[in-house]
């Protein structure tokens, strides 16, 4: 099945995009988390969302969740690792699953933290962002996972069935759904070291000899997710219609740039959908002209 619009991210930008696309009767798929967005849940009090004053992030999240549920919108709880432009459509990859969509909206938010020392240097040389995609490369090897959210626990469990040793460094309050054979490391990562390939994770109090490391964050830098995507620093380059340099690919929310705000993100989600729909309409006209010609 090929979707009209695939939306990656379930924060205010992605949800606003989904609601507006649904109103326009488009066939959509929305990827993200059932928790909606950690940046929403963690806000103690929000006063700048028009029409709703003095609300906690948790309560606003529940309002958003009720809204999409009332409209029959489901969140597909998958992490998209790569998006490839195939010309007339896109292929989205999540672990071993692939999805096709004519247009894509990136609403993945942004990671505030800096990259770890050595992370960029060894990316693809032992550093990865998707354990379920690359696990087979680490059969009987020693691997570390730095997990920034509880979704990383599932990745660690999968990896522990293949690798000889899995070290798990939680960067959040661990809920611990980890398999018994996983070593939990209560320490803070400092640097990834290696020669041609990764061979060490240096932490504040200890060091681990490893052959691979996965860093599972809330969002991955978009330039690693979409080959050929133009970025400016950590933001995706876009115009006022939220179009990127890749035809059919749009962006909304924090990943499009500052200010980092809910209402701005939601507004951009709406704009991105309008642009995606214009693109879908043009594609339809192009196809009907071709059919008439032949
Ligand atoms: P996010 O809310 O970050 O959502 C992105 C979602 O996409 C996440 O759920 C993430 O898991 C998911 N995702 C990412 N990558 C993938 C992938 N590859 N596949 C599937 N899903 C993916 N703003 C205000 O306007 N007012 C405030 O009072 C305010 N208070 C704040 C308080 C705190 C503590 C914080 C951290 C932020 C606050 N902000 C506030 C800023 C606001 O949270 C952000 O601007 C807003 O959440 C951005 O929305 P977004 O949809 O772009 O991204």
């Amino acid at each position: 099945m090929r979707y009209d619009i695939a939306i990656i991210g379930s924060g205010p930008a992605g949800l606003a995009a989904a609601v507006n696309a649904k109103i326009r009767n488009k066939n959509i798929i929305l990827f993200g988390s059932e928790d909606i967005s950690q940046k929403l849940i963690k806000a103690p009090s929000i006063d700048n969302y028009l029409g709703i004053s003095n609300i906690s992030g948790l309560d606003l999240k529940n309002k958003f969740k009720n809204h999409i549920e009332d409209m029959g919108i489901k969140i597909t709880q998958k992490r998209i690792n790569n998006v490839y432009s195939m010309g007339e459509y896109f292929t989205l990859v999540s672990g071993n699953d692939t999805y096709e969509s004519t247009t894509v909206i990136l609403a993945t938010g942004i990671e505030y933290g800096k990259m770890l020392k050595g992370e960029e240097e060894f990316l693809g040389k032992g550093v990865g962002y998707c354990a379920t995609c690359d696990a087979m490369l680490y059969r009987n090897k020693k691997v570390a996972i730095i997990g920034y959210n509880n979704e990383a626990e599932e990745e660690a469990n999968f990896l522990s069935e293949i690798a000889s040793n899995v070290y798990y460094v939680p960067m959040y309050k661990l809920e611990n759904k980890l398999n018994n054979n996983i070593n939990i490391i209560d320490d803070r990562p400092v640097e990834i070291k290696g020669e041609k390939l990764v061979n060490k994770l240096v932490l504040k109090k200890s060091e681990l000899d490893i052959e691979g490391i996965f860093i599972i964050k809330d969002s991955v830098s978009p330039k690693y997710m979409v080959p050929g995507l133009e970025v400016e620093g950590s933001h995706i380059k876009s115009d006022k219609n939220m179009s990127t340099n890749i035809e059919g690919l749009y962006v909304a929310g924090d990943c499009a740039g500052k200010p980092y705000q809910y209402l701005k993100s939601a507004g951009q989600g709406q704009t991105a959908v309008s642009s995606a729909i214009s693109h879908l309409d043009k594609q339809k006209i192009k196809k009907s002209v071709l059919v008439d010609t032949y």
Side-chain angles (χ1 to χ4, degrees):
M1 125 129 35
R2 188 174 299 171
Y3 296 94
D4 292 327
I5 307 175
I7 300 159
I8 310 174
S10 54
L15 298 188
V19 164
N20 284 281
K22 186 83 181 176
I23 289 169
R24 298 286 300 271
N25 213 18
K26 295 299 160 199
N27 179 16
I28 63 165
I29 184 160
L30 168 66
F31 295 99
S33 151
E34 209 181 26
D35 293 338
I36 307 290
S37 156
Q38 289 301 316
K39 293 213 179 82
L40 190 52
I41 292 172
K42 286 183 182 158
S45 166
I46 300 160
D47 276 312
N48 64 343
Y49 204 92
L50 187 65
I52 308 173
S53 59
N54 189 21
I55 187 167
S56 72
L58 201 60
D59 287 344
L60 190 58
K61 180 216 83 166
N62 289 334
K63 280 187 183 288
F64 287 173
K65 210 169 175 190
N66 291 341
H67 190 169
I68 62 162
E69 279 170 7
D70 284 351
M71 295 189 72
I73 297 167
K74 288 205 173 72
I75 298 175
T76 301
Q77 293 200 60
K78 294 264 169 116
R79 193 143 282 273
I80 296 299
N81 307 110
N82 294 104
V83 177
Y84 298 106
S85 170
M86 313 300 284
E88 282 197 353
Y89 68 96
F90 292 86
T91 296
L92 291 80
V93 182
S94 171
N96 295 324
D97 299 327
T98 58
Y99 302 84
E100 280 185 17
S101 183
T102 308
T103 63
V104 174
I105 297 175
L106 294 173
T108 52
I110 198 159
E111 273 302 323
Y112 294 151
K114 275 192 194 155
M115 277 182 137
L116 207 57
K117 195 169 173 205
E119 180 178 334
E120 188 152 27
E121 184 188 345
F122 289 104
L123 192 64
K125 299 173 192 159
V127 174
Y129 296 124
C130 174
T132 45
C133 313
D134 297 339
M136 292 307 164
L137 301 174
Y138 296 98
R139 185 173 290 283
N140 299 326
K141 294 191 173 170
K142 294 178 193 163
V143 190
I145 290 198
I146 302 175
Y148 284 81
N149 54 46
N150 57 11
E151 286 169 31
E153 293 172 33
E154 276 173 38
E155 302 234 5
N157 286 339
F158 180 69
L159 198 59
S160 73
E161 291 165 16
I162 292 158
S164 61
N165 292 62
V166 175
Y167 302 102
Y168 191 80
V169 186
M171 304 295 283
Y172 60 97
K173 195 165 173 285
L174 188 65
E175 286 173 19
N176 204 354
K177 293 181 227 144
L178 293 168
N179 289 346
N180 290 337
N181 61 344
I182 296 174
N183 299 300
I184 298 167
I185 308 295
D186 182 19
D187 205 345
R188 283 287 168 264
V190 176
E191 184 178 357
I192 297 165
K193 283 187 171 175
E195 289 177 13
K196 280 188 181 158
L197 297 171
V198 163
N199 59 25
K200 208 178 275 298
L201 173 63
V202 181
L203 300 116
K204 273 194 178 160
K205 298 180 280 188
S206 57
E207 287 189 356
L208 296 172
D209 290 328
I210 50 164
E211 291 154 291
I213 177 162
F214 292 99
I215 302 166
I216 315 291
K217 298 178 186 172
D218 284 340
S219 55
V220 171
S221 171
K223 69 176 175 181
Y224 301 118
M225 194 198 256
V226 192
L229 184 65
E230 272 184 29
V231 295
E232 270 173 337
S234 50
H235 301 132
I236 300 165
K237 240 175 150 176
S238 63
D239 64 13
K240 66 180 172 41
N241 301 316
M242 308 318 296
S243 306
T244 69
N245 65 310
I246 299 175
E247 211 184 338
L249 185 77
Y250 306 91
V251 61
D254 283 3
C255 59
K258 289 181 178 174
Y260 299 148
Q261 286 178 349
Y262 302 120
L263 203 52
K264 182 221 76 167
S265 299
Q268 287 184 340
Q270 193 174 30
T271 306
V273 161
S274 297
S275 303
I277 292 173
S278 301
H279 180 80
L280 289 166
D281 291 344
K282 276 188 213 146
Q283 294 268 83
K284 223 187 272 170
I285 293 168
K286 228 198 254 174
K287 273 190 191 150
S288 63
V289 169
L290 278 175
V291 169
D292 287 350
T293 315
Y294 294 102

